[in-house]
Amino acid sequence: MIVFRDVSKIYQIGDTEVHALDHANINIQDGEFVSIIGPSGSGKSTMMNIIGCLDMADSGLYLLDGQPIEDYSESELAKVRSKKIGFIFQSFNLIGNLTAEENVELPMIYQRIPKAERKRRVDEALKKVKLSGREKHKPNELSGGQQQRVAIARAIASRPSLFLTDEPTGNLDSATGREIMALFHELHAQGNTIVLITHDESIAKQASRSIHILDGKVVDSGEVTS
């Protein structure tokens, strides 16, 4: 599903070149639950942005479902982000003046999904994350854990093939973090592909495999070699 072949990304900061990714190679199969772990500045956020088609590599090859991403137009990339990838961020990224159900529904409006189908998916997704009864609440009326559940429901409702999640427990207490991780395990058990970005070893270990990144280099892909 996700293949990096010698992917590099360089940022120019003043007179200095920063190799955010340095000839990175990864291979993530359909249905895997993989964590990408590294300290701050290691390149994991850059890797996430490229996987999520939010940024492009400077060199190397990125294949998503067998297709080279650099061949996609901007409109095609927007479709990939909208339909194929479910984003879940540490900061939730909810719209403050919308209710939980409206936040979950919004991406499907952009996808031009019919209203009746949107309603069915919203109800189904909020039920799946155990937020039935909170549909009319706005983000400031919800706890951090509930807001993250809304963000997960929003991703679920769009029926992506890949869930891409960035430090999903970073702003949560440990008990709530365990509940959120349990949701990811449920999604994985249903056959979904999950890529989780984290600096927390205890969170990373909950994935089936961990890719370790340091100074822009993949130092351990977690793959078993013969």
Side-chain angles (χ1 to χ4, degrees), residues 92-110:
F92 317 136
N93 286 10
L94 302 178
I95 298 176
N97 63 347
L98 298 184
T99 64
E101 62 184 3
E102 289 169 341
N103 268 286
V104 174
E105 182 185 25
L106 187 60
M108 293 186 287
I109 293 175
Y110 294 136

Side-chain angles (χ1 to χ4, degrees), residues 11-196:
Y11 295 105
Q12 191 74 34
I13 301 177
D15 295 329
T16 304
E17 282 190 348
V18 176
H19 291 254
L21 282 182
D22 190 359
H23 299 282
N25 292 281
I26 62 173
N27 192 334
I28 298 173
Q29 300 296 324
D30 282 339
E32 275 201 279
F33 185 174
V34 174
S35 61
I36 297 174
I37 182 169
S40 178
S42 61
K44 62 184 185 297
S45 293
T46 299
M47 182 174 283
M48 181 201 73
N49 288 338
I50 293 174
I51 291 173
C53 302
L54 299 169
D55 200 357
M56 300 292 284
D58 291 325
S59 63
L61 180 66
Y62 171 27
L63 298 173
L64 181 62
D65 291 338
Q67 299 298 315
I69 284 299
E70 58 264 28
D71 291 347
Y72 282 50
S73 67
E74 281 300 322
S75 62
E76 288 171 331
L77 287 172
K79 285 183 180 179
V80 168
R81 291 191 295 266
S82 174
K83 297 183 178 180
K84 188 169 287 190
I85 304 172
F87 293 95
I88 302 165
F89 296 104
Q90 178 179 1
S91 56
F92 317 136
N93 286 10
L94 302 178
I95 298 176
N97 63 347
L98 298 184
T99 64
E101 62 184 3
E102 289 169 341
N103 268 286
V104 174
E105 182 185 25
L106 187 60
M108 293 186 287
I109 293 175
Y110 294 136
Q111 294 170 23
R112 299 182 179 178
I113 293 171
K115 186 174 182 178
E117 175 66 8
R118 295 200 308 264
K119 177 69 166 61
R120 190 181 69 79
R121 290 195 194 184
V122 168
D123 291 345
E124 182 182 86
L126 288 172
K127 183 178 181 180
K128 185 170 289 187
V129 300
K130 299 179 174 60
L131 278 180
S132 297
R134 296 286 189 273
E135 298 92 342
K136 304 297 183 183
H137 288 62
K138 294 182 178 179
N140 64 0
E141 299 169 327
L142 299 170
S143 69
Q146 289 171 333
Q147 290 182 61
Q148 188 62 290
R149 287 173 183 273
V150 174
I152 294 171
R154 179 179 57 194
I156 290 171
S158 291
R159 307 277 176 83
S161 55
L162 167 65
F163 287 89
L164 185 56
T165 174
D166 181 24
E167 302 282 6
T169 63
N171 286 334
L172 307 176
D173 61 75
S174 57
T176 305
R178 286 192 293 271
E179 293 175 358
I180 295 303
M181 289 303 299
L183 274 173
F184 290 133
H185 285 295
E186 287 179 24
L187 290 170
H188 178 232
Q190 293 162 10
N192 294 293
T193 305
I194 299 176
V195 177
L196 185 152

